[in-house]
Amino acid sequence: MIPKRSTTWRRLSEETFDLLVIGGGITGCGVIRDAVRRGLKVALIEANDIASGTSSRSSKLIHGGLRYLEQREFGLVFEAVNERQVLMRIAPHLVTAQGFLFPVYDTSRHGLGLLKLGLWVYEALSMFRSPKLHQNLGLRQVRQVEPLLSDEGLKGAPLYYDCATDDARLTLETMLDAVGAGALVLNHARVESLLRDEGGTICGVQVHDQLAGESTEVRARVVVNATGPWTDRVRSMSGTFNPLLRPTKGIHIVVDYERLPLAHAVVCTHPEDGRVLFAVPWGDRAYIGTTDTDFEGDPTCVAATTEDVDYLLEACRHYFPEPRLAREDVLATWAGLRPLIQDTDANTESSVSREHEVMVGVDGLLTIAGGKLTTYRVMAQEVVEKALELLVKQHACPGDLVDPCTHQEPLPGAVGWPADGDINGIAERVSSAAGPGLSAESALHLAVRYGTRGIDIGESLGEQEARMERLVEGRPEVMGIVDWAVTQELACTLEDVMVRRTQLFFRDVDQGLGAAPRIADRMADLLGWSLERRDQEVLSYEEEVQRSRQWRTD
Ligand code: FAD
């Protein structure tokens, strides 16, 4: 049960926490899940929405990163492929096997032999527990399974397996699990400064509630900076001005699946600079990414440019000449910043290491930076272990801490997950819970997106027609998801619902603009918004869509 926002605010102002995390991306949510499951008293403050930063803007892959083998980052790959296994266990509804076809041409930088060797090493590092072992497809097989792929100069294509995920939901469910175990979470509240005790050690933060316009102080024994691309901004609050990060921007474009009907994800290298790109089937859509360019501006304002979009389209036309994808095919874009740690040895953006670092400032601020979505759980574990050392030094470590078992305990949508992983069986249970008004398509959508929690959503529809109404004609999302998002998943603004809870922003042909006013009306009823606030929400959402489309007019 999610506490009311007013209750969270009061408790934050009144109580003292063992651990306070700044930043509600996958890293921060992973830290609170680990810490609260050990028995620590934990809070998290997020300036915008949960997963609104990089954690909803990734390539949505849970992978070891085959390309990191070339950079000899064996440790990173080993950790990542093993985490892939853990995440498939604790979130089978969100981390699913995905085949990757890696075509090799006579112009490719690496030949088939080297790639096959690389795949053996990749699978060996996971102790041969990949979702499936790789196969080597010959020319004829490639033409059969992926007919759109250019076969000019094609020599063959290994097919290997990693995982696909829903990054925003993985983050949300990690947060929800922590809240279920007792963590306090406040989104849309910015940490504006750090509080210090008489000795100069950080002992809390000053928080501003962006929705209510109020401020308060929150006291904590250890404060963790888990702000991804904003890491240096928060470090500067503690008087540390030498930058730690080298943030790089990556964008993706979304097209209709019918325009790029791929049977597998396809890995290719850009014909211009050899960068590795992915084209990934995504239900009724497909997406292509990513770019990798240095970024120095405000992380909040990151967006795709025309140059970025054209760069990806050029690669698409090279590898998939038949659909001749053009700017008009791009339904949506997203852009994110990799919070990479500066690496003096790196010549190019793509060669900057993806490793993470945990460090403690002289004033006690604990910072975690770098890393990947895939390795968030082990990063979180390391942060909490460091925090425990700090608590012990303060003689403030609570007794009776337990093993958090984050590698075994399922995320909320995986509780009661069937051993055979039969998603159709779950969809049937969603249907029975919802009653006859819910279409089979919407029931399946709830099962796929929410796992076993889809059954709870089905029940919450209460056989009410209004809740079963589709948000967009011809799409599976129903109005009850909006109620669920607001009452059970901390959605506070229209953008929270449109972008990260329903994904209409990415998947609908008009990015949900047509549905936004009706969804805002429902949110106004649920949250008691004034007419003025409701109109402002619609306007802000329209502006967000415009930002994602600004590349069209650059
Ligand atoms: P974020 O998700 O950015 O979270 C930081 C949060 O801090 C934000 O929500 C922000 O609002 C909040 N914040 C900032 N300042 C404050 C403040 N003052 N007060 C309160 N809150 C604050 N990894 C993979 O494993 N697989 C992939 O396929 C993959 N693809 C990627 C593709 C791209 C293009 C990019 C950019 C990254 C990709 N990554 C991938 C890396 C992965 O997405 C990131 O490492 C991860 O999401 C970072 O999460 P985070 O929690 O550290 O940062």
Side-chain angles (χ1 to χ4, degrees):
M1 184 67 186
I2 298 273
K4 278 190 175 158
R5 194 172 170 87
S6 54
T7 309
T8 301
W9 183 256
R10 183 182 46 74
R11 288 192 53 197
L12 285 172
S13 333
E14 289 174 3
E15 299 176 17
T16 298
F17 297 86
D18 294 320
L19 195 76
L20 183 137
V21 175
I22 314 174
I26 191 69
T27 311
C29 292
V31 170
I32 58 165
R33 177 172 189 250
D34 184 300
V36 75
R37 279 182 163 277
R38 287 181 201 240
L40 293 176
K41 188 167 172 182
V42 177
L44 180 146
I45 311 284
E46 162 55 48
N48 191 310
D49 185 23
I50 300 301
S52 57
T54 308
S55 299
S56 57
R57 298 151 185 263
S58 77
S59 299
K60 308 187 192 300
L61 305 177
I62 297 297
H63 62 159
L66 187 57
R67 81 178 179 85
Y68 305 132
L69 285 183
E70 198 184 347
Q71 287 158 235
R72 294 170 203 276
E73 297 210 50
F74 297 109
L76 176 68
V77 176
F78 175 76
E79 189 169 71
V81 285
N82 285 294
E83 278 307 290
R84 181 184 64 192
Q85 194 68 19
V86 170
L87 295 179
M88 285 176 79
R89 180 165 62 236
I90 66 168
H93 59 309
L94 293 174
V95 179
T96 51
Q98 170 73 61
F100 287 76
L101 197 67
F102 200 148
V104 174
Y105 294 87
D106 49 18
T107 51
S108 295
R109 193 154 41 104
H110 300 308
L112 267 177
L114 194 64
L115 187 55
K116 287 178 195 169
L117 179 69
L119 282 167
W120 279 115
V121 174
Y122 194 57
E123 288 170 351
L125 285 170
S126 75
M127 289 172 278
F128 298 102
R129 287 179 309 181
S130 297
K132 274 190 201 170
L133 293 183
H134 76 273
Q135 308 158 41
N136 298 306
L137 305 194
L139 210 52
R140 193 167 340 136
Q141 283 168 300
V142 179
R143 283 190 190 125
Q144 245 166 24
V145 298
E146 220 56 88
L148 287 184
L149 193 64
S150 164
D151 58 4
E152 207 183 313
L154 184 66
K155 294 168 115 178
L159 173 61
Y160 71 97
Y161 291 83
D162 257 319
C163 287
T165 193
D166 177 338
D167 50 4
R169 287 215 65 80
L170 186 66
T171 308
L172 261 173
E173 288 210 16
T174 304
M175 177 278 291
L176 290 172
D177 188 64
V179 170
L184 274 192
V185 172
L186 191 71
N187 56 353
H188 296 282
R190 176 179 300 281
V191 167
E192 304 223 297
S193 59
L194 304 172
L195 310 177
R196 287 162 197 283
D197 64 15
E198 284 160 4
T201 302
I202 288 168
C203 61
V205 299
Q206 171 84 20
V207 181
H208 182 71
D209 180 341
Q210 320 256 51
L211 301 177
E214 306 172 85
S215 293
T216 191
E217 291 183 349
V218 184
R219 304 265 152 197
R221 296 184 180 94
V222 175
V223 174
V224 176
N225 172 10
T227 53
W230 289 264
T231 298
D232 285 330
R233 287 170 191 243
V234 172
R235 285 173 79 240
S236 71
M237 290 179 197
S238 102
T240 313
F241 297 102
N242 57 323
L244 179 71
L245 294 190
R246 176 180 178 178
T248 70
K249 181 178 85 166
I251 78 131
H252 292 79
I253 56 176
V254 181
V255 300
D256 194 339
Y257 180 73
E258 284 183 10
R259 293 287 289 138
L260 194 61
L262 300 175
H264 308 92
V266 174
V267 189
C268 42
T269 53
H270 198 283
E272 214 172 78
D273 58 13
R275 276 208 66 251
V276 173
L277 304 173
F278 297 102
V280 186
W282 199 38
D284 53 353
R285 306 288 176 235
Y287 63 84
I288 302 111
T290 176
T291 56
D292 201 347
T293 48
D294 279 320
F295 182 88
E296 284 178 353
D298 178 355
T300 318
C301 303
V302 60
T305 63
T306 317
E307 201 185 339
D308 296 329
V309 172
D310 285 347
Y311 172 88
L312 295 180
L313 286 172
E314 187 193 340
C316 284
R317 288 192 292 262
H318 183 86
Y319 289 99
F320 308 106
E322 188 51 43
R324 270 212 80 67
L325 290 177
R327 288 181 185 176
E328 303 73 69
D329 288 302
V330 178
L331 300 177
T333 63
W334 73 81
L337 293 179
R338 297 175 188 83
L340 305 180
I341 297 184
Q342 285 199 8
D343 178 353
T344 40
D345 296 337
N347 303 322
T348 63
E349 291 92 331
S350 298
S351 59
V352 181
S353 169
R354 268 56 178 168
E355 292 278 7
H356 66 272
E357 255 179 65
V358 177
M359 64 210 77
V360 184
V362 281
D363 52 9
L365 180 68
L366 181 49
T367 294
I368 163 86
K372 287 162 60 70
L373 189 75
T374 307
T375 51
Y376 85 88
R377 201 193 58 86
V378 280
M379 288 161 62
Q381 196 172 310
E382 215 178 295
V383 171
V384 177
E385 276 158 15
K386 187 54 88 180
L388 289 174
E389 281 174 27
L390 295 177
L391 287 169
V392 168
K393 269 194 202 155
Q394 294 176 32
H395 306 289
C397 194
D400 301 334
L401 293 182
V402 294
D403 182 346
C405 280
T406 57
H407 64 300
Q408 266 169 349
E409 290 298 326
L411 291 188
V415 174
W417 188 255
D420 61 3
D422 176 20
I423 197 73
N424 292 316
I426 296 175
E428 274 168 28
R429 289 170 64 195
V430 174
S431 279
S432 331
L438 189 73
S439 69
E441 189 198 6
S442 294
L444 182 62
H445 168 78
L446 289 175
V448 169
R449 189 68 64 79
Y450 296 86
T452 50
R453 286 181 98 225
I455 303 164
D456 302 332
I457 302 181
E459 244 164 50
S460 77
L461 299 177
E463 299 195 11
Q464 292 180 39
E465 258 177 47
R467 291 195 184 173
M468 303 207 198
E469 230 174 74
R470 288 177 190 250
L471 297 178
V472 174
E473 184 77 35
R475 293 200 55 82
E477 299 85 2
V478 293
M479 191 55 94
I481 296 177
V482 176
D483 293 41
W484 186 262
V486 168
T487 57
Q488 306 295 326
E489 295 195 333
L490 286 187
C492 299
T493 69
L494 182 59
E495 188 193 314
D496 297 350
V497 168
M498 303 301 290
V499 181
R500 288 164 294 275
R501 306 305 188 285
T502 63
Q503 296 184 356
L504 288 177
F505 178 87
F506 303 109
R507 291 180 180 270
D508 180 27
V509 279
D510 82 342
Q511 296 192 261
L513 286 175
R518 208 157 49 86
I519 296 174
D521 286 342
R522 181 64 193 145
M523 292 186 72
D525 286 346
L526 292 165
L527 290 163
W529 289 347
S530 64
L531 192 59
E532 194 188 356
R533 167 80 191 272
R534 177 257 180 221
D535 291 347
Q536 186 52 51
E537 289 287 331
V538 175
L539 193 68
S540 301
Y541 180 63
E542 287 168 356
E543 284 167 4
E544 184 59 23
V545 172
Q546 279 321 314
R547 200 176 2 263
S548 78
R549 292 177 178 178
Q550 81 190 23
W551 64 271
R552 295 185 186 177
T553 50
D554 268 350

